[in-house]
Amino acid sequence: MAAERYNAPAREKHWQKVWDKGRIFEASDDESRPKCYVLEMFPYPSGRIHMGHVRNYAMGDVFARYKRAKGFNVLHPMGWDAFGMPAENAAMERKVHPGKWTYQNIDTMRGQLKSMGLSLDWSREIATCAPEYYQHQQKLFLDFLKKGIAYRKSSKVNWDPVDHTVLANEQVIDGRGWRSGALVEQRELTQWFFKITDYAEELLRDLDTLTNWPEKVRLMQANWIGRSEGMLVRWALDEKTAPQGAGELEVYTTRPDTLFGASFLAVAADHPLAKAASENNAELAEFCEECRRMGTSVADIEAAEKRGFDTGIRATHPFDPSWPLPVYVANFVLMDYGTGAIFGCPSGDQRDMDFARRYDLPVVPVILPPGEDAATFTLKNKAYEDDGVMINSRFLDGKSTTEAFEEAASRLEKQKLAGKPQGTRKVNFRLRDWGISRQRYWGCPIPIVHCSDCGVVPVAEKDLPIKLPEDATFDKPGNPLDRHPTWKNCSCPKCGKAATRETDTMDTFVDSSWYYVRFTAPKAATPVDKKSAQYWLPVDQYIGGIEHAILHLLYSRFFARAMCDTGHLQFATNTREPFAALFTQGMVTHETYKSQDGYWLLPNEVKFEGEGASRHAVEAASGRPVTIGSIEKMSKSKKNLVDPDDIIAHYGADCARWFMLSDSPPERDVIWTEAGVAGAGRFIQRVWRIVEDIANAYPSADEQAKPATFGPEAETVRKAAHRAMDQVGKAIEALRFNVAVAQIHEFANVLQAALTKAADGKAPPGLDWASREAARFLVTMIGPMMPHLSEECWARLGYNTLLANEPWPDIEAALLVDDQVTIAVQVNGKRRDELVISRSAGSQEVEAAALALEAVSRALEGRPVKKVIVVPQRIVNVVG
RNA sequence: GCGGACGUGGUGGAACGGUAGACACACAGGACUUAAAAUCCUGAGUUCGAAAGAGCGUGUGGGUUCGAGUCCCACCGUCCGCACCA
């Protein structure tokens, strides 16, 4: 009788219901058990889930289910990053309220995630757009404000002209808005900021403790924070040339050692000194204006030449009162880094060199590169920026760069200018404070009131939440809250007079900066239930895309600390890191298809003909030729999408999951192919057949009645089973899912071969018991990856428990090693033969056996043996 | 420009400094079938050879080592991040 095929779509629904009904994935705080918090980056409810989600959540689910089986109390929650621009765009385009649109999407996507069979605790579901969530965020904001972590200031900000809102520095990529892609403009606005710079030092230092984070992400964050050690140096300005009241100019430098190579000073166009000097100098004013107009896009900066304008002001060298230097306004000096002013040392900095050559300023080499002769060393147009020995530097001559730094720094510290030290050591960071004001509707309202008498007043806590008005309009661009007829009218919490609300909302990255904390007690009356947070945090394994390497991950690291400092959060251990381990998975890619007329085609609009090199595609409907394009990230614009729903309906969720986990290492991109999915589908049927065969052939083997001895066939099966179990566990632990899949394949091959052989004749001794055990192992080890299939197999084997609740089996260590080992035999490093020998054989025994091999003596060609290296149980190398 | 990662068969990829190519996809041959599908078995880095076997093989060139895909140096290529940060 031919075995029934496993009907994945039907059985998957069944098991999902069983799990759901048993509420087996709901987590509770249980101090007596070791916890494991597994989290995947929660999705933005854009409409439907895509394959990227499937990959992300499949990985997280394997890890979560595995940890469950290993006895951990697992927290594996899911929620929605539900505020954001697309909802407002939808409102503008389709006249649907952002809230309605968002919740509809959430319903759709929740259904899709449920069809994946994820071991999620849905009782903890949160949506950041719900007042039940954002009211706590408003409370956090008020406490940040009290503590000085939130503040308001006027500054130049990035303005996205398409989304009509401000963007944080982290959200500007190559001069464009991260979401809209529009060229960002600079605008002077009063905005709310979070003082992330107060944490710069800690955020940088603690990167070292994140040993379970990808090196790449840590490096990116370190570069973003951008720490540099240097000095603030004050230069006296010549009274006769300086504007009134401007007695000195402070510059920031990381190279006080090169002070004797200085040939000019330069300030940014927006520097106060530039402004003062412009007052009586129309030409200079015009130059400053030109600098301000200069674009900030990459192309603009690359095209821009180093240009400057001599202000006529002269400064005095700190180490030589008789040495005057010109002060320029220069277009390459940034106002918002350091002091907005520099001293230029052309020989030690390429930008200064370019500038000096253009304006014919002196170029004095002060650092001699190793191996160069001081007498002959010259610099053309290339600055030497590395370390060496000081020259042309008076009291610094002969010192190393480091020594010279110290000497110059300590002299400047002692030296006085106008009664104060001329130089002070200063650590500078590239990181800027996080601007969180957004001129949008669909975000968390900032709980602030503006009163004409009292100024900026925080909303009283009893008045939280400040809810969004339902009846906003979206028919034109701009901030719907600001133009709402009544919403912003309120009374001042301090004096009671008529006042107006803050109409800006918070950056949606604020919402996602603490959701992982909220998951630990999603219904608590306060933002955080400290006890629950202490039990569950930090997240043990966080999984998501590399695109958040800086944005979300840096903000979250800051937020955890800010929440600690405002008394909301406390970690059980000596850390303030929210994510103990991070894994960044690769993207899902697919071939692209273009029609003759040049428009993109969906994969299911294309039909393939031929194989290998002659493979080509035609339009399924018309038969017209199609160009197969490059493999790219699945995207709507290129139409190279495969809908998870279609795959799940046709092949089942297990198949999609298994394919995603096979072959490609999880950190790399995976190419979605129809053939690959079909292959995964075949393996599912294969597992089902193996289990059916065993269940039919050995329906009643008693697990307790383990035979005392096993025949060689049974022994082989047992070894393969225990080894695979061991390897698969280790691979999952290390998130090496592709390796786990390969181990399972290998084991299935061994098992199937043994069964096929046994079917020919009478069953060898112990194979019945070993096969039952092997089936049990096989089903358990595929459990985390293909939970429905394995549940079905578990039942087919006659168990009336749920596999999802079963522990990971114990492994017999004795079965992991062989009595006999195969050792490779090399002659002069080249493999010539191999040797099967007892595992316990000593070096001398192995050596003797190796030298006795015919292949060895042949390879030696009569040369005497000089040396024999024996690596026990691995290899022998005969050197001759 | 600065910083980083990567480079292995037709393809995706395995490989504590120790038998390179596990496992899979695709391919070829065979079995079963009236036939197909499904399934099962076998083969395969490459060159020479009937075979046994030998040579060559992890981007290129050097080096360290008894032994290098793995470590070091230089170069080539691909990808990623930052980008006038003083």
Side-chain angles (χ1 to χ4, degrees):
Chain A
M1 181 189 76
E4 288 265 328
R5 285 177 66 80
Y6 170 65
N7 183 347
R11 298 316 291 159
E12 289 185 352
K13 284 202 186 62
H14 168 76
W15 290 113
Q16 284 160 18
K17 267 189 217 135
V18 173
W19 295 328
D20 220 28
K21 228 174 120 195
R23 300 169 64 167
I24 59 172
F25 302 123
E26 290 184 16
S28 58
D29 301 10
D30 179 355
E31 303 279 349
S32 68
R33 292 170 63 204
K35 64 93 185 180
C36 187
Y37 186 176
V38 183
L39 187 65
E40 299 98 55
M41 291 180 185
F42 69 163
Y44 176 78
S46 56
R48 306 179 62 75
I49 63 165
H50 52 69
M51 281 300 175
H53 292 127
V54 173
R55 194 177 192 204
N56 191 185
Y57 301 138
M59 288 179 191
D61 199 46
V62 172
F63 196 78
R65 285 179 180 265
Y66 171 75
K67 285 292 181 179
R68 260 174 76 78
K70 291 293 271 187
F72 286 88
N73 187 23
V74 170
L75 173 58
H76 189 210
M78 182 55 71
W80 311 97
D81 188 11
F83 273 138
M85 277 298 297
E88 271 184 82
N89 290 339
M92 273 185 259
E93 286 157 23
R94 281 176 252 173
K95 313 244 175 300
V96 52
H97 189 273
K100 191 175 173 200
W101 183 85
T102 301
Y103 279 107
Q104 276 172 355
N105 289 346
I106 287 176
D107 285 342
T108 305
M109 291 172 74
R110 186 193 302 108
Q112 290 183 296
L113 290 184
K114 287 199 170 180
S115 76
M116 279 185 68
L118 304 169
S119 63
L120 290 166
D121 179 354
W122 283 103
S123 74
R124 290 173 187 253
E125 179 182 357
I126 53 180
T128 57
C129 64
E132 294 76 37
Y133 182 81
Y134 71 69
Q135 66 175 345
H136 300 293
Q137 192 163 307
Q138 291 175 336
K139 162 74 171 147
L140 293 175
F141 179 91
L142 293 178
D143 288 342
F144 284 11
L145 186 66
K146 265 185 225 156
K147 192 84 182 171
I149 297 169
Y151 69 99
R152 197 163 176 262
K153 74 169 178 194
S154 171
S155 75
K156 270 205 177 158
V157 291
N158 308 300
W159 177 262
D160 185 322
V162 168
D163 282 351
H164 292 277
T165 188
V166 162
L167 296 174
N169 290 343
E170 290 79 3
Q171 293 156 6
V172 179
I173 319 283
D174 292 342
R176 290 170 182 276
W178 71 290
R179 235 195 48 74
S180 71
L183 277 173
V184 165
E185 300 163 6
Q186 300 294 308
R187 284 201 184 177
E188 183 84 21
L189 287 171
T190 302
Q191 301 275 294
W192 287 97
F193 288 84
F194 283 155
K195 221 158 179 8
I196 191 170
T197 52
D198 272 1
Y199 296 85
E201 190 78 60
E202 186 186 339
L203 288 169
L204 182 69
R205 170 171 39 85
D206 288 357
L207 283 174
D208 290 342
T209 68
L210 296 174
T211 49
N212 288 319
W213 278 41
E215 188 59 43
K216 180 186 168 76
V217 174
R218 291 157 64 188
L219 195 75
M220 279 168 71
Q221 292 214 355
N223 289 340
W224 187 264
I225 295 168
R227 183 181 196 275
S228 65
E229 280 181 23
M231 289 207 95
L232 292 169
V233 182
R234 295 159 61 230
W235 297 60
L237 298 180
D238 170 27
E239 284 171 28
K240 292 192 284 290
T241 58
Q244 254 204 332
E248 60 179 64
L249 176 63
E250 190 173 47
V251 308
Y252 178 70
T253 180
T254 54
R255 299 296 299 271
D257 48 302
T258 65
L259 264 169
F260 287 107
S263 54
F264 66 94
L265 279 79
V267 300
D270 285 323
H271 194 279
L273 188 64
K275 285 180 179 162
S278 298
E279 272 173 29
N280 300 315
N281 188 338
E283 245 184 301
L284 177 59
E286 169 54 31
F287 178 78
C288 291
E289 201 42 50
E290 210 179 302
C291 290
R292 278 184 213 111
R293 276 200 304 270
M294 193 176 73
T296 50
S297 76
V298 181
D300 289 342
I301 288 168
E302 272 179 4
E305 286 177 88
K306 304 275 171 288
R307 289 183 53 212
F309 195 98
D310 188 348
T311 59
I313 303 169
R314 293 294 173 266
T316 309
H317 196 282
F319 290 140
D320 184 350
S322 66
W323 182 352
L325 290 102
V327 179
Y328 280 76
V329 173
N331 65 349
F332 66 94
V333 180
L334 305 172
M335 189 56 224
D336 61 355
Y337 187 80
T339 62
I342 61 158
F343 84 81
C345 172
S347 63
D349 184 289
Q350 192 55 46
R351 290 159 306 176
D352 298 346
M353 174 67 96
D354 295 346
F355 192 80
R357 289 303 184 209
R358 187 179 171 111
Y359 295 103
D360 212 15
L361 295 158
V363 177
V364 181
V366 285
I367 294 174
L368 187 67
E372 289 281 351
D373 185 344
T376 56
F377 179 64
T378 53
L379 284 163
K380 286 231 167 70
N381 290 323
K382 185 114 179 74
Y384 179 71
E385 301 185 344
D386 291 330
D387 291 358
V389 177
M390 305 310 299
I391 49 172
N392 303 324
S393 294
R394 307 188 195 182
F395 55 82
L396 298 177
D397 279 350
K399 293 187 189 298
S400 73
T401 303
T402 325
E403 290 162 354
F405 183 109
E406 275 311 307
E407 175 67 25
S410 59
R411 283 197 188 215
L412 287 168
E413 281 173 324
K414 281 182 210 130
Q415 212 164 292
K416 301 280 191 221
L417 177 69
K420 287 185 284 184
Q422 188 144 26
T424 39
R425 288 176 206 253
K426 162 100 171 143
V427 172
N428 224 338
F429 292 95
R430 207 188 77 109
L431 184 70
R432 297 275 90 92
D433 275 340
W434 175 15
I436 59 146
S437 297
R438 297 291 178 275
Q439 292 68 41
R440 304 303 328 163
Y441 167 81
W442 196 232
C444 173
I446 296 174
I448 289 290
V449 169
H450 299 281
C451 170
S452 53
D453 286 355
C454 311
V456 177
V457 185
V459 167
E461 281 182 23
K462 66 174 173 50
D463 293 334
L464 295 184
I466 301 301
K467 285 196 197 173
L468 290 167
E470 282 292 317
D471 57 347
T473 56
F474 303 95
D475 48 348
K476 52 182 177 240
N479 185 350
L481 285 181
D482 200 36
R483 64 168 177 260
H484 189 278
T486 55
W487 182 78
K488 65 179 169 184
N489 300 330
C490 64
S491 54
C492 172
K494 222 178 200 170
C495 71
K497 257 182 56 178
T500 56
R501 292 195 186 289
E502 171 72 57
T503 57
D504 283 355
T505 52
M506 293 184 212
D507 182 0
T508 57
F509 278 97
V510 179
D511 313 342
S512 54
S513 291
W514 71 286
Y515 78 105
Y516 51 87
V517 182
R518 188 68 189 162
F519 272 140
T520 65
K523 294 178 179 73
T526 49
V528 182
D529 177 317
K530 269 184 157 175
K531 208 161 167 277
S532 294
Q534 235 178 77
Y535 173 63
W536 288 112
L537 290 176
V539 173
D540 294 277
Q541 183 65 60
Y542 198 33
I543 307 178
I546 185 78
E547 66 273 17
H548 289 110
I550 291 174
L551 286 160
H552 162 60
L553 290 165
L554 186 63
Y555 292 150
S556 293
R557 294 182 61 224
F558 153 69
F559 229 83
R561 288 168 172 80
M563 286 172 78
C564 287
D565 289 345
T566 48
H568 285 284
L569 189 59
Q570 204 181 332
F571 285 88
T573 55
N574 185 24
T575 180
R576 313 223 284 178
E577 289 294 343
F579 311 121
L582 171 71
F583 188 84
T584 53
Q585 97 272 4
M587 298 182 300
V588 182
T589 63
H590 197 283
E591 274 181 338
T592 50
Y593 309 107
K594 217 171 203 176
S595 75
Q596 268 181 317
D597 316 325
Y599 52 85
W600 300 104
L601 295 167
L602 288 165
N604 58 20
E605 292 172 332
V606 174
K607 206 168 66 185
F608 298 96
E609 293 166 356
E611 308 266 332
S614 66
R615 175 176 178 263
H616 62 275
V618 296
E619 281 186 58
S622 62
R624 297 194 312 161
V626 165
T627 312
I628 301 180
S630 57
I631 293 164
E632 296 186 44
K633 180 185 181 178
M634 282 192 183
S635 74
K636 276 184 192 157
S637 59
K638 298 273 169 74
K639 285 187 132 183
N640 55 343
L641 293 165
V642 176
D643 189 343
D645 272 5
D646 293 347
I647 301 298
I648 289 171
H650 187 222
Y651 293 99
D654 284 342
C655 183
R657 294 168 59 128
W658 185 256
F659 171 72
M660 279 296 192
L661 300 164
S662 309
D663 293 345
S664 284
E667 69 279 6
R668 278 196 223 169
D669 291 352
V670 62
I671 305 170
W672 183 278
T673 62
E674 190 59 33
V677 182
R682 281 198 297 275
F683 183 70
I684 288 175
Q685 297 302 335
R686 190 159 164 232
V687 169
W688 179 242
R689 276 195 307 275
I690 290 174
V691 170
E692 283 258 63
D693 285 353
I694 291 173
N696 286 331
Y698 315 111
S700 59
D702 180 358
E703 263 171 51
Q704 305 307 316
K706 182 178 167 188
T709 55
F710 291 94
E713 296 86 352
E715 189 74 12
T716 303
V717 167
R718 295 204 70 217
K719 276 182 177 166
H722 284 255
R723 253 171 235 188
M725 204 75 213
D726 182 50
Q727 294 293 318
V728 168
K730 283 177 180 154
I732 292 176
E733 199 96 48
L735 304 172
R736 292 165 53 83
F737 306 116
N738 58 323
V739 177
V741 165
Q743 296 288 346
I744 292 171
H745 274 133
E746 206 168 336
F747 170 44
N749 288 344
V750 173
L751 180 56
Q752 178 152 9
L755 293 173
T756 307
K757 230 172 129 191
D760 294 346
K762 60 180 187 353
L767 189 64
D768 53 347
W769 197 92
S771 298
R772 290 282 305 187
E773 182 192 48
R776 191 159 52 85
F777 272 35
L778 177 65
V779 168
T780 311
M781 72 177 80
I782 63 168
M785 304 187 213
M786 297 198 282
H788 311 86
L789 170 68
S790 53
E791 205 69 80
E792 184 77 14
C793 291
W794 191 248
R796 181 66 185 85
L797 288 169
Y799 301 106
N800 50 23
T801 53
L802 280 178
L803 178 66
N805 286 328
E806 288 293 311
W808 201 251
D810 290 329
I811 294 155
E812 287 178 32
L815 290 171
L816 301 182
V817 290
D818 275 315
D819 298 339
Q820 299 275 303
V821 287
T822 306
I823 293 178
V825 181
Q826 296 181 332
V827 175
N828 292 332
K830 256 195 172 68
R831 181 183 168 279
R832 293 296 172 184
D833 203 349
E834 58 187 32
L835 197 58
V836 178
I837 199 160
S838 159
R839 179 172 200 83
S840 55
S843 291
Q844 292 188 349
E845 200 181 328
V846 173
E847 181 175 333
L851 290 174
L853 288 170
E854 197 225 309
V856 171
S857 39
R858 194 176 347 122
L860 280 169
E861 290 170 331
R863 289 187 303 269
V865 174
K866 286 188 198 141
K867 199 163 145 190
V868 179
I869 287 137
V870 179
V871 180
Q873 293 153 38
R874 282 215 168 263
I875 205 163
V876 182
N877 191 10
V878 180
V879 185

